């Protein structure tokens, strides 16, 4: 097994739906799962930051909408990422 596959396995072990939702419960980020779910939010942010240069929260919101095929407006998205618990989720 080459180094790339080993690192990919490590990343997918940590960044999966079960683990992120488990982290969400301990950070108390989402009390109710609505349109913006923790796993989709985390994955869209990591993908956006790794894929291109992002300069505003609006860029992150647009990437989330594109990736999840939802119609989340800026304000609800911003409300989620501005929660104090969001930083705990991302750590």
């Amino acid at each position: 097994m080459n180094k790339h596959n080993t690192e990919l396995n490590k990343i997918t072990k940590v960044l999966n739906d079960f683990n992120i939702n488990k982290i969400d419960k301990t950070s108390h980020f989402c009390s109710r799962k609505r349109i913006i779910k923790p796993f989709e939010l985390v994955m869209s942010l990591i993908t956006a930051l790794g894929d291109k240069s992002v300069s505003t929260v609006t860029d992150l919101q647009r990437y989330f909408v594109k990736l999840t095929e939802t119609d989340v407006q800026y304000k609800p998205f911003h409300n989620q990422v501005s929660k104090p618990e969001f930083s705990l989720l991302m750590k």
Side-chain angles (χ1 to χ4, degrees):
M1 183 177 278
N2 66 31
K3 183 179 179 184
H4 178 70
N5 286 341
T6 304
E7 296 203 3
L8 182 62
N9 288 337
K10 287 179 185 177
I11 291 170
T12 54
K13 221 180 228 186
V14 174
L15 296 178
N16 64 49
D17 194 15
F18 177 76
N19 283 341
I20 291 177
N21 288 330
K22 185 176 167 186
I23 294 167
D24 169 55
K25 286 180 185 174
T26 60
S27 70
H28 304 289
F29 174 68
C30 280
S31 56
R32 294 174 286 183
K33 308 268 188 301
R34 294 189 176 179
I35 293 175
I36 301 175
K37 296 172 183 74
F39 177 71
E40 292 174 347
L41 178 61
V42 169
M43 295 310 292
S44 71
L45 295 177
I46 290 171
T47 305
L49 295 171
D51 187 34
K52 63 179 190 173
S53 118
V54 175
S55 56
T56 65
V57 175
T58 304
D59 293 336
L60 295 172
Q61 180 261 343
R62 287 185 192 129
Y63 206 91
F64 178 83
V65 167
K66 180 180 169 190
L67 191 68
T68 61
E69 298 177 345
T70 58
D71 189 24
V72 176
Q73 299 300 312
Y74 175 79
K75 185 163 177 128
F77 184 84
H78 182 270
N79 289 345
Q80 290 298 316
V81 298
S82 64
K83 288 179 179 179
E85 296 84 3
F86 176 71
S87 64
L88 294 173
L89 175 68
M90 295 307 292
K91 283 181 185 177

